[in-house]
Amino acid sequence: MLTDINPKLPMRNKSNSRQYYINQLGFQEIGDYEGYLMVKKDQIEIHFFEFKELDPKENYGQVYIRTDDIEGLYESMLDSKIEIHPNGTLQTKPWGQKEFALLDPDNNLLTFGQSIY
């Protein structure tokens, strides 16, 4: 039986990723190993593997994170001066989700969504 999913995203610099996810997005560090970082917030866990040669312009890493308070989360991001993706402001999508998106320091796309039904 499947119980969880923990996406693995590339990172060029562990210190930069740690700073962004912990100090800006409010995640907690749950694992730090050579070339590997694990963070968690609420029930969401994201893992990062070191990829120093990563060209952010060619990175298509993406993760979709569901929330039960999209409005509150979006407002908290704005209040904390977190940069919202230029095309990812809070919007209602035709597939029944209210969403917004961020890009992390390595150009991984984080989309947050909540069902409107």
Side-chain angles (χ1 to χ4, degrees), residues 1-113:
M1 178 194 314
L2 303 178
T3 61
D4 274 322
I5 187 166
N6 300 312
K8 292 170 64 172
L9 299 173
M11 67 178 169
R12 291 173 294 164
N13 179 293
K14 190 188 306 184
S15 179
N16 290 347
S17 293
R18 181 186 294 112
Q19 190 279 332
Y20 182 77
Y21 282 88
I22 293 172
N23 297 338
Q24 293 187 35
L25 300 185
F27 281 74
Q28 296 177 343
E29 184 177 303
I30 59 170
D32 182 357
Y33 308 96
E34 187 171 335
Y36 206 80
L37 176 67
M38 299 162 50
V39 297
K40 183 174 184 170
K41 182 173 183 177
D42 301 324
Q43 300 304 310
I44 301 303
E45 191 174 308
I46 305 175
H47 297 201
F48 299 90
F49 61 94
E50 190 171 63
F51 183 7
K52 290 183 180 185
E53 298 80 27
L54 175 69
D55 179 350
K57 294 177 185 171
E58 295 180 6
N59 181 16
Y60 298 101
Q62 300 181 36
V63 63
Y64 193 98
I65 302 169
R66 295 200 184 271
T67 178
D68 59 4
D69 183 15
I70 193 75
E71 302 273 347
L73 183 60
Y74 186 70
E75 288 303 317
S76 74
M77 297 286 181
L78 293 177
D79 290 346
S80 297
K81 308 285 190 245
I82 305 294
E83 187 174 339
I84 305 299
H85 186 288
N87 299 321
T89 58
L90 188 62
Q91 301 171 30
T92 300
K93 300 295 187 174
W95 46 88
Q97 297 288 307
K98 199 167 206 181
E99 300 177 350
F100 73 93
L102 313 172
L103 287 172
D104 80 1
D106 296 301
N107 219 35
N108 291 303
L109 180 68
L110 307 175
T111 303
F112 298 87

